[in-house]
Amino acid sequence: MFSRERKTPIAEWWWTIDKSLLAALILLLLVGVLLSFAASPPVAERLGLGPWHFIIRQAIFAALALPVMIATSFLPRRPARLLALAVLVGSTILLWLTLVLGVEVKGATRWVSIAGNTVQPSEFVKPAYAVIGAWLFAESMKRPGVPARSIAFLLMLVIVAGLLLQPDIGQTALVLATWGALLFLSGISWVVIFGLGATAVGLLFAAYAFFPHFAKRIDTFLNPEGGGNTYQVDKALGSLLEGGWFGRGPGESMANKIIPDAHADYVFSAAAGEFGILFCLCLVALIGFIVIKALIGAQQQQSLFARLAASTLAIQFGLQCSINLAVNLSLMPPKGMTLPFVSYGGTSMLAIAFGMGLMLALTRKKPEERLASGLPVYRSGVLSPAE
Amino acid sequence: MAILSEVAETISLDGGRKSRGNLTKARIRWVIVALVLVFGTVGGRLIQLGATVTDSTIEGVARDVITASRPPILDRNGLEMAVDIRVPSLFAEPRRIVDVEEAVQKLRTVLPDLNEDWLRNRLTGDKGFVWVKRELTPAIQERIYQLGIPGLEFVTESKRFYPSGKEASHILGAVNIDNQGTMGIEKHMDDDSLAVLQSIGIARDTDLTPVSLSVDLRVQHVMYEQLQDALVRYKAVAAAGVMMDVKTGEIVALASLPDFDPNNPSTLFQDYNGVKNDRFNRITSGIYELGSTFKTVTLAGALDSGKVRITDEFDARFAVRFGRFTIDDFHGKHRVLSVPEVFKYSSNIGTIKIMQELGKDEFRDFLTKIGMDRTVPFELPEMRKPKVPDKFSEIVAATSSFGHGLSVSPLHMVRAVAAFVNDGYMVPPTMYKRDEAEARQLYEPVISPSTSAEIRYLLRLNAIGAGGSGSRMNKIANGYRVGGKTGTAEKVVNGRYASNVNFNVFASAFPLDKPRYAMVIIVDEPKAENEQTGVTAGWNAGEVTGRIVQRVAPMLGIAPDFGEMLDQNLVPVELR
């Protein structure tokens, strides 16, 4: 099946995919299932569900996410772009629909119910926007006449407006960061970068001024003893400290039984209590490997679109991970950000699988780079340049 | 948006690909550098947290100490006498409590016995940790969780539980709320080694090797029950008993009433019938004038010296005078008495004469030899030093010979009786299991085996002979070859001996043909059971002894034997 003799799609996929990246992603998915054993039973019991509730669902979602990721990674560039476009259009519409039809959970309207399942459209918007945004930026770099950047900017505004109305500061920040990453990668001058950086700071202050729950979190972070609600953070840190280097062993941690969101945002801390800080360091290394490997893979792409899209997806993934880790380690004020593939959440897992699938698809080594002639293949005219 | 076209303007179509490629590649490199820094920071933070030494103390007490485990305590047959159970304890973090008033009101719906002002005071302030109530039940814990008050939390503690309740309270002692032994064998274990274990963190959340005591819970139960019965039956103010294996020194049962509930140690300090601090261990920390039981000691010393022989006779016709004091016999025979008769009729005059034959200084030396003037080396920490004058005057020696003018604990007496019947080998008593071979290493000869045989005969004689003070006991425990000596000491009331207020003792051993157990029973201030009965020791302490032996002897594998031959074999050759 994987023979090089006949050029079957599977063989081609197998010889061009970044196998270490794929393996690392699958490993992360499995770690997520493993950690759900540690983190989720106390939460499930608190919610009056069976202890296996979240574990079973996490396993099912992981089982669904894997084929989604692999199937997406099969896509050549053009179909990948088309799919991303379809997903972007669909999820943006759903995103705005949530404001009308959505279900309110914990003070925010982020979910819509489709055929009995609640879906969080904002999760799918992120990777789709990264790909389409990359395409638009690539087009504008190649053909300056086309107002592609402006389109990307407008698209971002549409999405961000919808997210802010939910409100969902975390996802807003990620989409903004995605746009910022595209600007940066597409070669914006450093002057503007610092200008935009200043704007970002300004936006943070604006958020502080206009969103009370955001302001409260910042206050509490800056002054933990000030009487604010630092319950989650305290418990998360408690779990980390309790575990020490080697952890207390599976099922032995006491602290993770009282972390409120142990299965979602705070899964990392909960894991630390049971498996120890060394394990957590390995997990961070795994995530870091995925991000760096994907970025290197993106760098080697000849196609500008693929390079931009793959690196943007990697940056998005890396940012989400680092924000979650920073919150877990009290390096940052709490922010509703899940740890990709590890935290519980069906939509988010499938969306990340979709995004990672696209990333894998776009970091595949193209056959032209495999020729040993030394000449770029597109010069020979055998293959049309992908750009 | 001039900057957006800036790049595009400077490139030609052909070189554009290359420059765009170089540009984006360089930018990706920057991103890689930034992300490496971010993940490096995360890793560094993890290492910092890993290196953090957590402050694990709770209100200044190490958390390990609070959750410290104690080994289970078993009786000699493996029955559980003390075990650890895990219980939740409620604490508060006042600085996290949002609404103190709400917290107080809600909490009091579950724990109504908490004082409102105390609780409000407790929950107000900026502290990070205060106990609210410790050692609760899981049901209460659940109800407090349901209240959903922020800043209230639980920590799991070990709580000591004593399944047998009050039955062995003075043996086991008690622990404080931090699970540290405060009295009894619990304290001894701590002083011994457990404290060391706990301090180095071994005795934490782990199963410790159980500690086996010498106590036989069945015997303990019987003794406890009979002493309680004695309190009611004789309207006594106190009763206590101790039973010891004469071969090994193991304490098989030890009870003292009034007592306390080790599951609720504060009961120790409750008044008993209006008397404060009356719930102490009378066997180890009570010292008494043990009255005529001491005649056994005097005779053992005299017979062993060889200066008095079992066949000797003493003139007990006239009371003995010391200056203005006159000592007479209680229901005296006022005739010449043989040594066994002196013992049987409990003649004060005869005993004084026997002691004088021995010599008062020799008598004092004998008391030192059998350890009557020192605290008994024993595991229980509640010990009191006996009061024995360093040097005997004539009159003190005389009163001491029949157990007045010196105070020792019942534990002293049981050890002495055990030695007298055990071929003269004294063995230190212990609360822990000990086998005979081990005990032999500790044997200390105090009288000769032949004197021991004579004492066995005298003790048995007192139970079977007509008029012996142990006959009432023997009727109840017939067949178990018990022998013993009564002691009816008049208590000092307002500075003088009161003839109607007694402290009664019965010191016994059984089965005397093959001695195994020694026992001392005390009954404090007994009243006559009915009009036909008396108040001397034979009527109460003696009968209690009989009832205990009658019930425990079969458990201890002693079969009843009514053969006269056994008793006749006890008679010394000289008297046959």
Side-chain angles (χ1 to χ4, degrees):
Chain A
M1 192 159 85
F2 297 120
S3 159
R4 292 200 208 214
E5 285 170 17
R6 279 182 298 126
K7 217 173 180 193
T8 64
I10 291 180
E12 199 186 333
W13 174 79
W14 179 249
W15 293 112
T16 56
I17 196 96
D18 187 336
K19 286 190 246 346
S20 60
L21 188 55
L22 178 67
L25 284 166
I26 292 172
L27 186 58
L28 190 61
L29 207 53
L30 292 176
V31 167
V33 177
L34 172 70
L35 294 194
S36 74
F37 280 89
S40 71
V43 181
E45 270 171 47
R46 258 204 306 279
L47 298 176
L49 306 162
W52 293 90
H53 179 88
F54 288 119
I55 299 172
I56 290 170
R57 283 162 162 258
Q58 175 107 10
I60 290 173
F61 287 134
L64 287 174
L66 187 60
V68 166
M69 184 168 77
I70 289 175
T72 319
S73 72
F74 266 88
L75 293 174
R77 279 168 203 158
R78 241 181 106 74
R81 203 154 60 205
L82 285 175
L83 180 63
L85 185 62
V87 169
L88 181 66
V89 171
S91 56
T92 309
I93 291 169
L94 275 178
L95 178 68
W96 280 89
L97 278 180
T98 50
L99 297 172
V100 191
L101 307 171
V103 194
E104 185 168 321
V105 178
K106 292 184 198 168
T109 319
R110 295 175 190 172
W111 281 266
V112 278
S113 183
I114 297 176
N117 295 301
T118 50
V119 177
Q120 195 180 354
S122 55
E123 294 284 356
F124 279 100
V125 167
K126 285 182 295 178
Y129 178 74
V131 173
I132 296 306
W135 175 59
L136 289 168
F137 271 79
E139 286 305 308
S140 89
M141 283 173 80
K142 281 184 290 180
R143 280 182 280 277
V146 184
R149 283 183 198 223
S150 310
I151 296 173
F153 182 68
L154 285 176
L155 211 50
M156 185 271 284
L157 283 185
V158 169
I159 295 165
V160 162
L163 286 171
L164 281 176
L165 287 173
Q166 286 188 349
D168 192 339
I169 301 283
Q171 305 281 19
T172 307
L174 270 186
V175 173
L176 277 173
T178 309
W179 180 71
L182 281 169
L183 275 184
F184 179 77
L185 293 173
S186 66
I188 200 167
S189 82
W190 288 99
V191 177
V192 180
I193 291 168
F194 286 117
L196 283 176
T199 317
V201 173
L203 279 178
L204 279 179
F205 273 105
Y208 182 83
F210 292 113
F211 294 96
H213 83 274
F214 182 75
K216 209 169 162 188
R217 283 185 179 185
I218 303 285
D219 285 343
T220 315
F221 176 73
L222 294 177
N223 184 14
E225 302 296 318
N229 187 0
T230 56
Y231 189 78
Q232 284 192 318
V233 183
D234 287 350
K235 292 301 145 209
L237 268 188
S239 177
L240 275 161
L241 292 173
E242 183 198 32
W245 289 110
F246 302 102
R248 287 176 66 102
E252 292 295 320
S253 169
M254 299 305 292
N256 80 18
K257 307 228 177 335
I258 43 181
I259 302 177
D261 257 344
H263 66 312
D265 293 7
Y266 286 94
V267 64
F268 185 75
S269 307
E274 303 211 343
F275 298 100
I277 284 175
L278 283 180
F279 173 85
C280 286
L281 281 170
C282 293
L283 186 55
V284 171
L286 179 66
I287 292 169
F289 172 80
I290 290 171
V291 175
I292 308 293
K293 190 80 187 24
L295 282 171
I296 292 172
Q299 223 177 11
Q300 289 163 352
Q301 288 295 311
Q302 289 295 331
S303 148
L304 183 60
F305 157 67
R307 197 185 300 145
L308 280 183
S311 51
T312 309
L313 284 166
I315 291 169
Q316 211 175 49
F317 178 87
L319 266 183
Q320 190 172 344
C321 288
S322 31
I323 291 174
N324 177 277
L325 295 176
V327 168
N328 267 279
L329 298 173
S330 277
L331 289 169
M332 249 180 89
K335 182 170 280 293
M337 194 77 73
T338 55
L339 191 57
F341 277 158
V342 180
S343 291
Y344 175 78
T347 314
S348 118
M349 200 175 309
L350 293 179
I352 289 156
F354 170 68
M356 292 297 101
L358 286 174
M359 192 175 83
L360 285 168
L362 296 171
T363 51
R364 280 168 69 179
K365 291 190 173 66
K366 296 311 280 183
E368 71 243 19
E369 294 156 47
R370 300 191 145 267
L371 295 181
S373 67
L375 273 174
V377 179
Y378 49 83
R379 290 252 168 122
S380 71
V382 177
L383 288 162
S384 64
E387 223 182 281
Chain B
M1 290 222 153
I3 31 106
L4 299 183
S5 49
E6 192 180 85
V7 178
E9 273 169 355
T10 55
I11 51 166
S12 66
L13 242 175
D14 202 30
R17 186 195 310 280
K18 204 170 184 181
S19 79
R20 282 195 297 273
N22 287 342
L23 179 73
T24 47
K25 280 178 188 174
R27 288 291 164 94
I28 290 175
R29 214 168 292 130
W30 277 109
V31 170
I32 291 176
V33 169
L35 284 173
V36 165
L37 279 177
V38 168
F39 285 115
T41 311
V42 168
R45 171 75 170 166
L46 273 173
I47 290 168
Q48 182 212 340
L49 286 175
T52 305
V53 180
T54 44
D55 176 21
S56 61
T57 60
I58 289 179
E59 289 195 337
V61 182
R63 206 185 180 92
D64 286 0
V65 173
I66 287 171
T67 57
S69 303
R70 303 184 65 81
I73 299 178
L74 309 179
D75 89 331
R76 62 181 306 113
N77 300 316
L79 293 174
E80 281 174 338
M81 297 179 75
V83 288
D84 266 6
I85 52 175
R86 311 284 278 161
V87 289
S89 283
L90 177 66
F91 68 91
E93 296 173 273
R95 65 165 173 246
R96 302 223 185 296
I97 293 179
V98 183
D99 184 343
V100 173
E101 199 50 43
E102 183 203 12
V104 169
Q105 297 309 334
K106 275 186 168 175
L107 201 52
R108 271 173 47 82
T109 61
V110 179
L111 299 169
D113 51 331
L114 290 180
N115 180 287
E116 195 175 331
D117 293 330
W118 175 86
L119 188 59
R120 192 176 295 117
N121 210 0
R122 196 91 173 139
L123 300 187
T124 314
D126 204 30
K127 289 217 189 72
F129 186 104
V130 291
W131 286 118
V132 177
K133 194 159 168 65
R134 296 174 68 177
E135 302 188 345
L136 298 165
T137 63
I140 296 278
Q141 181 186 29
E142 187 58 34
R143 286 178 61 195
I144 290 172
Y145 270 141
Q146 294 297 333
L147 296 176
I149 310 171
L152 287 183
E153 297 208 37
F154 290 90
V155 61
T156 306
E157 289 194 80
S158 291
K159 181 182 161 66
R160 203 62 161 159
F161 177 65
Y162 304 93
S164 50
K166 298 166 87 172
E167 222 153 66
S169 52
H170 283 112
I171 299 171
L172 294 167
V175 296
N176 64 13
I177 196 127
D178 290 330
N179 235 10
Q180 293 154 332
T182 54
M183 57 181 295
I185 208 76
E186 295 275 25
K187 180 163 167 41
H188 177 259
M189 283 176 2
D190 280 12
D191 297 346
D192 202 29
S193 57
L194 194 63
V196 181
L197 284 183
Q198 283 177 346
S199 69
I200 57 172
I202 287 178
R204 184 185 156 228
D205 297 339
T206 44
D207 289 332
L208 299 166
T209 320
V211 172
S212 286
L213 296 189
S214 57
V215 177
D216 187 325
L217 213 47
R218 303 167 302 173
V219 179
Q220 177 74 21
H221 170 76
V222 170
M223 181 180 279
Y224 183 77
E225 191 189 57
Q226 286 306 325
L227 291 172
Q228 271 193 321
D229 174 67
L231 278 191
V232 177
R233 195 189 284 253
Y234 310 117
K235 299 178 194 66
V237 300
V242 58
M243 188 165 143
M244 174 174 162
D245 186 316
V246 302
K247 302 267 183 214
T248 62
E250 293 170 293
I251 300 296
V252 181
L254 186 157
S256 172
L257 295 174
D259 60 351
F260 65 98
D261 184 355
N263 289 314
N264 183 8
S266 65
T267 52
L268 175 66
F269 305 104
Q270 279 171 7
D271 292 357
Y272 176 75
N273 291 344
V275 183
K276 277 193 196 313
N277 299 329
D278 202 33
R279 297 170 185 275
F280 62 95
N281 183 350
R282 286 177 156 74
I283 298 298
T284 57
S285 58
I287 55 169
Y288 305 99
E289 297 184 322
L290 290 179
S292 305
T293 45
F294 230 80
K295 288 171 184 158
T296 323
V297 176
T298 312
L299 261 69
L303 289 169
D304 194 55
S305 71
K307 291 176 185 163
V308 175
R309 285 186 307 275
I310 194 91
T311 48
D312 289 351
E313 294 190 332
F314 291 89
D315 182 2
R317 281 176 298 174
F318 310 108
V320 186
R321 292 183 64 93
F322 293 96
R324 57 191 181 89
F325 296 101
T326 307
I327 298 172
D328 203 350
D329 284 354
F330 180 75
H331 297 317
K333 299 286 173 194
H334 296 290
R335 60 173 170 88
V336 173
L337 298 171
S338 67
V339 169
E341 280 172 330
V342 167
F343 192 75
K344 188 164 100 179
Y345 300 131
S346 198
S347 165
N348 296 339
I349 305 165
T351 312
I352 292 168
K353 297 266 169 75
I354 290 171
M355 183 278 297
Q356 285 169 338
E357 200 68 33
L358 169 66
K360 70 179 173 67
D361 294 330
E362 285 77 6
F363 177 51
R364 181 66 186 79
D365 290 345
F366 183 67
L367 294 185
T368 302
K369 192 176 181 186
I370 60 172
M372 284 289 179
D373 53 0
R374 299 183 299 277
T375 311
V376 180
F378 194 46
E379 289 90 1
L380 296 185
E382 295 82 19
M383 302 299 282
R384 192 163 157 208
K385 208 173 175 310
K387 276 188 190 147
V388 178
D390 283 339
K391 215 165 158 49
F392 278 171
S393 61
E394 285 295 337
I395 179 154
V396 170
T399 57
S400 296
S401 72
F402 56 90
H404 284 71
L406 79 178
S407 299
V408 299
S409 71
L411 189 65
H412 280 98
M413 183 51 77
V414 80
R415 178 181 61 167
V417 172
F420 294 161
V421 300
N422 181 34
D423 286 337
Y425 295 109
M426 195 163 82
V427 51
T430 180
M431 280 316 311
Y432 293 115
K433 235 175 160 170
R434 183 196 275 163
D435 59 30
E436 207 177 317
E438 209 179 325
R440 275 186 193 285
Q441 313 278 319
L442 306 165
Y443 274 12
E444 192 184 324
V446 288
I447 57 172
S448 68
S450 65
T451 314
S452 174
E454 286 165 354
I455 296 291
R456 288 202 291 269
Y457 158 70
L458 291 175
L459 287 171
R460 182 64 184 150
L461 178 73
N462 193 34
I464 54 174
S469 57
S471 55
R472 210 161 297 285
M473 174 280 297
N474 194 50
K475 278 199 190 102
I476 299 171
N478 200 8
Y480 295 115
R481 293 93 72 199
V482 197
K485 181 76 194 82
T486 52
T488 306
E490 290 170 358
K491 284 180 72 168
V492 178
V493 177
N494 297 330
R496 30 175 66 243
Y497 286 106
S499 59
N500 54 346
V501 186
N502 293 338
F503 181 87
N504 290 356
V505 195
F506 196 87
S508 57
F510 69 99
L512 278 174
D513 53 308
K514 212 179 162 205
R516 209 46 235 271
Y517 299 102
M519 177 154 59
V520 170
I521 295 290
I522 62 173
V523 181
D524 196 2
E525 292 187 27
K527 320 287 181 296
E529 193 181 348
N530 56 51
E531 280 164 17
Q532 281 78 44
T533 62
V535 292
T536 51
W539 289 98
N540 34 67
E543 287 194 356
V544 172
T545 304
R547 283 192 285 269
I548 292 172
V549 173
Q550 178 219 8
R551 285 188 54 192
V552 305
M555 296 173 186
L556 297 169
I558 300 164
D561 191 333
F562 303 95
E564 308 235 315
M565 278 308 289
L566 290 173
D567 289 337
Q568 276 163 28
N569 286 343
L570 287 173
V571 180
V573 193
E574 304 94 308
L575 294 174
R576 283 185 191 165

